Amino acid sequence: MSGDTKMNELGTFLKARRGELTPREVGVTDASGPRRVPGLRREEVAQLASISTDYYTRIEQGRIRVSAPVLTTLADVLQLNDDQRSYLVSLSGKPAVRTPRRSKQKVMPQLRRVLDDLTTTPAIVMGRRMDILAWNSMAAAMMLDFSEIPDAQRNYIRLLFTDMRLRTLYRDWETVARTAVAQLRMEAARYPDDSRLTALVGELSVRDAQFSSWWAARTVASLTTGTKTLDHPVVGELVLDWDTLVKADDAEQQLVVWTADPRSPARERLEALSLQ
């Protein structure tokens, strides 16, 4: 194929692939009513890939050559398999530049033991991009049963914005969510080539106007301790201190624990929750 033919074919190929995906498959909430055509819209693909709709439109129309990083992100957003990725690369006329795939994180055995030993203290282990790697029974009782959430969607900030149980759990949800967005900004700076993080930001930007606005504000935070007030549906108000503990030999896994003053009503309520 000539260069122009390849560019046109690349655009046609991308259009065909987005036509095969449903909004639900990529976590997009469609509130605009029935669609004239099946599949994702151009603007949805663009937002998920964190590029402008105009830029993506020109790609599909074969009017612009695509950089390797953008090509890789589009392949992730469109959930291409290995053969489809290879075909996309061949059409682009350049090797894909992508960082080696990080192996899937698994909670360290030592942290798993700590979680299991904390019988009256809610605790979770968070990994890269604020993924929830593990939790104990108290965290499930206090927040939600994370085992109900598909593994690929088990991300703290994603749940903050998409799961009504967490939206109603935190009394000051807006402050909690804003802080989480600022922390995710720090993660994005630490892992600029993380395609899953890019896809997460794109998904939440499409789904939630508040996330999109707060992300655009570029506020950053690296908080490791604080206090939160929860309105628990079973035991009532819980005023808890939270702390983040980082393992010395693996800073990518953080143990987050919630505790209460021993003489406080919250402590009694945590103990009551442990007996549920």
Side-chain angles (χ1 to χ4, degrees), residues 136-170:
N136 63 4
S137 59
M138 278 297 292
M142 184 184 78
M143 302 173 77
L144 55 88
D145 186 353
F146 296 105
S147 65
E148 298 174 356
I149 309 299
D151 183 64
Q153 300 175 16
R154 202 176 292 147
N155 174 277
Y156 178 70
I157 193 166
R158 187 182 190 281
L159 293 171
L160 264 182
F161 281 89
T162 63
D163 196 301
M164 190 55 63
R165 288 171 292 183
L166 286 193
R167 276 187 176 263
T168 57
L169 178 65
Y170 292 109

Side-chain angles (χ1 to χ4, degrees), residues 7-9 21-22 26 48 83 87 91 101 113 123 147 157 173-174 177 195 204 241 263 265 269:
M7 289 173 61
N8 289 331
E9 172 59 19
L21 285 174
T22 65
V26 295
L48 289 169
D83 289 339
Y87 183 63
L91 292 175
R101 282 181 180 266
R113 290 196 294 268
S147 65
I157 193 166
W173 175 86
E174 181 171 328
S195 60
L204 293 178
D241 298 318
R263 297 157 295 183
R269 290 166 187 164

Side-chain angles (χ1 to χ4, degrees), residues 26-28 44-51 72-79 85 129 152 155 158 184 188 191-207 211 215:
V26 295
V28 172
E44 291 167 338
V45 175
Q47 285 193 284
L48 289 169
S50 296
I51 58 178
T72 297
T73 300
L74 288 174
D76 290 335
V77 167
L78 296 174
Q79 302 179 12
R85 286 173 184 270
R129 73 190 75 86
N155 174 277
R158 187 182 190 281
L184 190 66
Y191 307 110
D193 299 321
D194 189 329
S195 60
R196 284 189 59 191
L197 195 153
T198 299
L200 173 65
V201 171
E203 174 196 347
L204 293 178
S205 295
V206 170
R207 296 183 65 160
F211 177 92
W215 183 259

